[in-house]
Structures are given as C-alpha cells and as structure tokens.
Amino acid sequence: MEEDFEFDYTEDAKFSVERYEEMLRKQDLYFFDSQAFENIIDYYIEKSDPIKALQVVEIAISQHPYASGFLIRQAQLMLITGETDYAVALLEKAESLEPSNPDIYLIKGSIFETREWHAEALELYNKALTLSDEPDEIYLQMAYVHENLEDYQSAIDCLKASLEHDMENQDALYELAFCYDIIDQQEESINFYNQYINKEPYSYAAWYNLGNACTKMGMFEKALDAYDYAILIKDNFASAYFNKGNALVNLERYAEAIEIFKHTFEYEQPDAETYCSIGECYEKLELMDEARSYYKKAVKLDPKLAEAWFGIGITLDFEERWFESIHFYKKALGFDDMNAEYWFALGDSEYKLGNIELAVEAYEKVQELSPDDENIWLDYSSLFFEQGKVVEAIAMLLEGINILPESPELRYRMVAYLFSDGQIQEALACLERTLVGHPEKHELLFEYLPQLQQNKVIIDIINRYIF
C-alpha cells in the first residue's frame, strides 16, 4: 500500500486521470496533490460529466480540507446542477478560509445576478476588483449587470475598462457593439473601433464590429472595407462574409452579394437565413426561378421562416400567377400576421384577381399596422377610383393626407382625383398648394393621369413654379 501513496509533483494530466480511474477500479484510496486533482476535475468537466467531477472534488476536499479552491470548484459545479443555495454556502466557507480570493466574490456575484439582486451583485464584483490582478472578466460581468438595469452608458464604461486590461477580450468587443447599437450611438461606436484598430490592427472582431456600425449608418462602402479586413485576418469568418453580402445588397450589387453569401457555405452549414438572402438577390435580378429555388431551400430548413414563404409569393406575383401567390402570402402571415408588407401583397393579389372584398380586408389590415405607409393610401384609394367610386377614393386619400400631410405623392394624386370628379377649382387650388412645397415632383400627377399633360391651364400653373 505504501507505493499507492507516492505521487509525482510533475505528473501530467493524463497520468493523473489514469491513476484516479485505477483507484476507483481497485476501490482504493490514492493521494493526489492539488494540481493533480485540478487536472482530473477539468477532465470530467470537459467531458460534460459534472457528477463525476463533483465526486473528484469531494475526495479532493477530504485530502486538502483547507484548500479553498476546491470549495470554489464545488460551488461552480453546484451551479451547473442548479443548487445555488448550497453553492453560496460553499463560497462563504471558502471566504472564511481565503477572504482575499476574488473568484469567491465573482461567482457569488453571478449567483446574485441570476436572482436579479443587481445592487448586491455589483457590490460583490467591486470587491472582487480590489483583489484581482486580472479585472477584465470582472468588468465584463459588471457590464452585464448594468445592461440588465438598462444602464447602457455604465455598461459601456465597464466594457471599455475590460478592454483596457485585455484588448483581446472578444466578448467585451462584441458586447460593446451591442450597447452602442441599443442606445443608437453608431458614430461613437465607429470612433471607438477606429481608435481600437489603430492599436490592434489585426483584431478581426474590431473590424467586423466597425463594419456593422458603418452598415447601420448607411456607410456601405466603408462597411465593405471593414468586412474585407476582417476576412483578410480570419479567412473562415462566416459572419463577416454574410454581413458583407448584406452590405452589397444595400448597394444593389446583387450578383456580387450572391457569390459572397454562397462563400459562407465553405465555412459553416447552409442555413435558412442565408438561402433566403440569396433568394432575395435573385428576385431583385428578376431571375425568379432561381429566387424561388433558394426560397424553397430556406423553408425546407426552417418551415416557420415567414420571409421565405413571402419570397415565393413575390416570385409568383411577378409572373402574374396571383392565385398561387396568395397561398404563399397566407403561409407567411400564418407565422407573422403583424407584418404590414405581407398583408399589402395579399391585398394586391386579391385585387388583381377581382376579389375586391378580400382586397379591402387586407388593405384595412395594412392601414391598422402601418398607417404611415403612403403606398397603402395610394393603392386603397386607387381600388375605389378604378371602380368608379371617385368620392370614396377622395375620402380615402384625405384620410391619408391627414396622417401624412407632407406627402407629395398623396397630394398630387388628390389633384388627379379632383379633376376626374369635375371639381376643377378645388383641383387647381390643391395643385398650387402642392407645387409650393414640391414643384420638382409634379410629374407624379401625369403618372396617374397622363391626359392632364394636354391641359393648358395645368401646364401654365406648373410652369410658374418650376421656371
């Protein structure tokens, strides 16, 4: 038995695990130093076996009763099994043995945070800060608390402090971008990441977040440059390829976007969102067969992806297959019935098929969901106008103008309706009022009623405002 208690201070992790499992097989008791026990615990945690890891910890505590580190490890494992009260008790015992260990307060703070005891958690994190030589993770945890309190500026301050101590903390970099996004401070975000990149030019995460901030500011060319740098540093960065594809879409460079989206498949499994994005690009290029093919791939992977069902409907609508498109619009609405765009498309298809009552129902839903969409007032009023119900069309348009009084589209359409209804003086007065604010948009009048271009009175009035 004597030899069983011999141990080597330099033994590696594999040897420690083998000796431990041998001990279990022999139902014996070997002695291990603290590092050996740490190796064995890590081994079982990496194998996702917290129960066996706990068994190791219990033996470790029996052999090293004054080693607070094992009580801390036990507390961490208790958290995995959901026994938070026991974990707190273990941490308090560890604190009595080693009150200067910052991990005690960091873990205890995280437990309090899960209980939404935010003030208490921050107090513990602040105590951990005074004791730790590596405060970056503590500042990160404090940032999470401030985010939960919706105090995003304080969260930003903590994240910057975290990065000051560890500029390679990827979690802090991404979290900082999130906070800037939440409070809509994209310019500050861009400034920060530019400064950061000056110090750390090979940080792919910083370039990526810079690209995202530029995208949100509508600076798509600058976003492309940032994504390219991120990809240059990390050539398998699938998210950077995907977001680069979105930037190209915003620049209407659809063919290039398709190639970039497809490039993501070299680094990760195809997903429904990417297939849907490719489908949308083909749709914009009016290659409807290809678009429909990718939309179908998207719904095969994610049958609840409303956007893809809607995309299929759009391709059919483009081919004037309105009856078929209705089925797919309804599928999309089945998963997202608060989407005004889906209701609008459904209404248009119903109208084209002559299903006026169903079109009206859909348009009314759009008005309810998106009353500031000028197109619904134009289309809904046009439905009445084309049925010869000019009075109803005018009333509908007046309602829209009350909501969007500065819309030249609605006002020039009103001029057209008033002329058609024989209300000449009212039409001319409306035309002059509209020309005062929007003379450059006068062609809108002729798009709806081209015959008005032959009306000398109208042309004379327009010429007074545009020359």
Side-chain angles (χ1 to χ4, degrees):
M1 285 294 296
E2 185 67 26
E3 64 179 8
D4 291 340
F5 287 91
E6 294 178 0
F7 58 93
D8 182 356
Y9 285 96
T10 61
E11 70 181 35
D12 63 20
K14 181 180 179 183
F15 183 65
S16 297
V17 172
E18 289 173 349
R19 284 187 67 239
Y20 176 76
E21 294 187 342
E22 177 188 271
M23 181 189 79
L24 294 181
R25 286 195 304 273
K26 292 183 176 180
Q27 296 183 339
D28 205 342
L29 182 61
Y30 299 175
F31 184 85
F32 296 85
D33 71 357
S34 296
Q35 185 56 56
F37 272 126
E38 290 286 353
N39 292 339
I40 301 165
I41 294 165
D42 288 340
Y43 170 78
Y44 286 117
I45 289 174
E46 288 169 9
K47 289 189 67 176
S48 300
D49 195 339
I51 302 303
K52 285 187 178 179
L54 270 172
Q55 291 171 348
V56 179
V57 171
E58 289 169 2
I59 298 172
I61 292 172
S62 70
Q63 293 190 8
H64 303 276
Y66 300 107
S68 64
F70 292 125
L71 290 169
I72 295 171
R73 297 301 295 272
Q74 190 175 22
Q76 291 173 315
L77 290 164
M78 285 293 135
L79 291 180
I80 295 173
T81 60
E83 298 182 58
T84 57
D85 290 338
Y86 188 29
V88 170
L90 289 167
L91 291 168
E92 289 173 351
K93 186 176 179 180
E95 184 179 358
S96 69
L97 293 171
E98 190 185 4
S100 62
N101 190 323
D103 289 341
I104 295 168
Y105 310 103
L106 183 59
I107 299 167
K108 195 174 180 181
S110 68
I111 295 171
F112 284 6
E113 178 59 9
T114 62
R115 296 175 178 178
E116 299 186 0
W117 297 356
H118 305 302
E120 293 86 347
L122 284 173
E123 184 179 344
L124 287 163
Y125 290 146
N126 276 310
K127 187 167 184 178
L129 274 178
T130 65
L131 301 169
S132 178
D133 294 328
E134 299 177 347
D136 55 296
E137 277 301 318
I138 301 171
Y139 278 120
L140 181 58
Q141 294 303 318
M142 293 175 74
Y144 292 143
V145 178
H146 287 300
E147 286 178 30
N148 287 329
L149 291 168
E150 297 185 1
D151 182 0
Y152 294 103
Q153 190 56 58
S154 294
I156 287 170
D157 293 339
C158 288
L159 292 165
K160 286 182 177 180
S162 176
L163 289 165
E164 285 176 8
H165 290 88
D166 180 8
M167 293 194 72
E168 296 182 3
N169 190 321
Q170 303 293 310
D171 290 336
L173 274 175
Y174 286 111
E175 207 64 30
L176 188 61
F178 167 77
C179 289
Y180 276 128
D181 193 26
I182 287 289
I183 59 178
D184 196 24
Q185 290 187 0
Q186 302 304 335
E187 288 185 14
E188 289 83 351
S189 182
I190 290 170
N191 290 336
F192 172 82
Y193 285 110
N194 276 325
Q195 292 171 11
Y196 184 92
I197 287 164
N198 286 337
K199 299 175 183 177
E200 293 286 331
Y202 296 106
S203 171
Y204 64 86
W207 282 110
Y208 174 74
N209 286 316
L210 176 61
N212 292 343
C214 288
T215 295
K216 293 182 176 75
M217 289 287 291
M219 301 159 58
F220 301 117
E221 292 288 358
K222 289 186 181 295
L224 287 178
D225 290 340
Y227 292 135
D228 280 338
Y229 278 115
I231 291 166
L232 187 64
I233 297 164
K234 184 181 180 183
D235 62 2
N236 63 344
F237 196 175
S239 295
Y241 284 108
F242 182 80
N243 285 9
K244 179 182 177 181
N246 284 332
L248 289 166
V249 168
N250 280 294
L251 291 167
E252 299 183 3
R253 291 159 59 178
Y254 302 116
E256 293 173 74
I258 289 169
E259 294 307 309
I260 293 298
F261 285 135
K262 289 181 178 179
H263 206 60
T264 66
F265 301 153
E266 296 180 21
Y267 306 114
E268 65 181 11
Q269 287 294 316
D271 61 19
E273 186 179 359
T274 308
Y275 277 144
C276 193
S277 296
I278 294 171
E280 184 179 358
C281 288
Y282 279 121
E283 176 197 318
K284 297 295 185 183
L285 293 169
E286 298 186 359
L287 299 171
M288 295 305 172
D289 286 339
E290 290 87 344
R292 194 154 49 241
S293 169
Y294 275 92
Y295 284 137
K296 286 180 178 179
K297 289 181 180 182
V299 296
K300 186 174 182 180
L301 285 181
D302 182 1
K304 294 183 179 180
L305 186 59
E307 186 180 357
W309 290 113
F310 178 70
I312 297 172
I314 289 292
T315 65
L316 295 166
D317 193 312
F318 181 85
E319 295 169 351
E320 300 185 1
R321 296 160 63 180
W322 299 307
F323 182 78
E324 294 171 77
S325 73
I326 287 171
H327 168 75
F328 292 98
Y329 292 150
K330 287 181 177 178
K331 285 283 288 187
L333 285 164
F335 298 112
D336 183 7
D337 65 353
M338 301 299 286
N339 191 305
E341 185 181 7
Y342 299 172
W343 283 107
F344 206 155
L346 176 63
D348 282 349
S349 285
E350 295 285 13
Y351 180 62
K352 289 166 186 171
L353 287 170
N355 300 327
I356 304 303
E357 290 185 8
L358 293 175
V360 166
E361 288 178 13
Y363 286 155
E364 286 179 350
K365 192 69 176 178
V366 180
Q367 287 179 321
E368 175 190 331
L369 294 171
S370 186
D372 56 351
D373 182 350
E374 65 186 15
N375 289 316
I376 186 56
W377 302 104
L378 294 171
D379 282 21
Y380 200 174
S381 65
S382 181
L383 179 149
F384 288 119
F385 185 81
E386 291 175 16
Q387 289 184 296
K389 299 179 179 180
V390 183
V391 174
E392 289 87 342
I394 291 171
M396 177 65 64
L397 211 53
L398 276 173
E399 190 178 344
I401 290 172
N402 286 333
I403 294 172
L404 299 165
E406 300 304 318
S407 168
E409 285 80 2
L410 298 185
R411 289 189 172 277
Y412 279 115
R413 180 68 65 86
M414 177 62 80
V415 174
Y417 287 172
L418 289 170
F419 267 110
S420 295
D421 195 43
Q423 300 183 49
I424 307 302
Q425 294 306 313
E426 290 84 349
L428 294 175
C430 183
L431 175 60
E432 292 212 49
R433 287 194 300 270
T434 307
L435 284 165
V436 169
H438 307 281
E440 77 287 354
K441 297 263 183 119
H442 69 277
E443 292 291 340
L444 291 169
L445 176 62
F446 306 133
E447 286 179 10
Y448 198 72
L449 287 182
Q451 60 267 36
L452 292 179
Q453 288 179 294
Q454 311 306 318
N455 188 307
K456 186 176 183 305
V457 175
I458 290 177
I459 298 302
D460 287 344
I461 292 173
I462 290 173
N463 286 340
R464 291 207 304 269
Y465 286 90
I466 64 175
F467 294 113

